[in-house]
Amino acid sequence: MIKNILIVEDDVVFCKLLTRFLTKNNYTTNDAQSAKQAFELLKEHTFDLAILDYRLPDENGLSILESIKENNKVSKVILITRYGDQEVANKAIDLGADAYVSKPINPDELLEVIKNL
């Protein structure tokens, strides 16, 4: 069962909205706006799910995904991509992502994806 979620999203406003939405739906969340912050949180905490934006200021979500899978730090991963970025989504699935969600994100659809993991 998913309870603790790491959100990695460089758009601070969207990140905070997503954090609040998931918290209201009874999830515990931590958020990071860069890969560096995400790696620091992964050292300190255990997460059931990581929601990773593909485009970040210092790396991309795929590099975080690869690290997570190599170190077995998180059991489930969702990658967030731009609408139409199918090549990135396919690569994420090949690297072990459990799902991908295209932007713009409908929070209720994201919640449904999380519940189905």
Side-chain angles (χ1 to χ4, degrees):
M1 176 179 263
I2 293 172
K3 284 290 178 195
N4 299 315
I5 300 176
L6 170 63
I7 302 167
V8 184
E9 167 63 60
D10 63 327
D11 179 331
V12 176
V13 173
F14 176 68
C15 186
K16 296 302 178 189
L17 287 172
L18 191 55
T19 297
R20 268 183 267 162
F21 175 76
L22 292 172
T23 300
K24 284 182 182 177
N25 282 280
N26 301 315
Y27 293 101
T28 302
T29 61
N30 287 82
D31 61 78
Q33 282 74 51
S34 68
K36 181 181 178 189
Q37 290 176 344
F39 288 127
E40 288 172 9
L41 286 170
L42 286 163
K43 287 179 190 173
E44 300 170 10
H45 303 280
T46 301
F47 299 99
D48 304 312
L49 170 66
I51 300 174
L52 309 174
D53 186 19
Y54 173 68
R55 296 186 190 277
L56 297 167
D58 52 351
E59 292 188 42
N60 67 48
L62 296 179
S63 64
I64 301 170
L65 170 61
E66 287 180 295
S67 177
I68 285 171
K69 291 301 178 176
E70 286 173 11
N71 298 305
N72 296 316
K73 293 296 266 179
V74 180
S75 57
K76 302 287 183 185
V77 178
I78 297 173
L79 188 80
I80 300 172
T81 63
R82 286 180 304 148
Y83 176 75
D85 215 346
Q86 192 62 42
E87 186 176 320
V88 171
N90 290 341
K91 184 162 184 171
I93 297 298
D94 290 344
L95 291 172
D98 297 282
Y100 68 91
V101 178
S102 296
K103 286 182 177 180
I105 292 175
N106 175 324
D108 292 323
E109 287 178 17
L110 177 61
L111 190 59
E112 194 61 33
V113 169
I114 292 170
K115 288 179 179 179
N116 287 326
L117 289 178

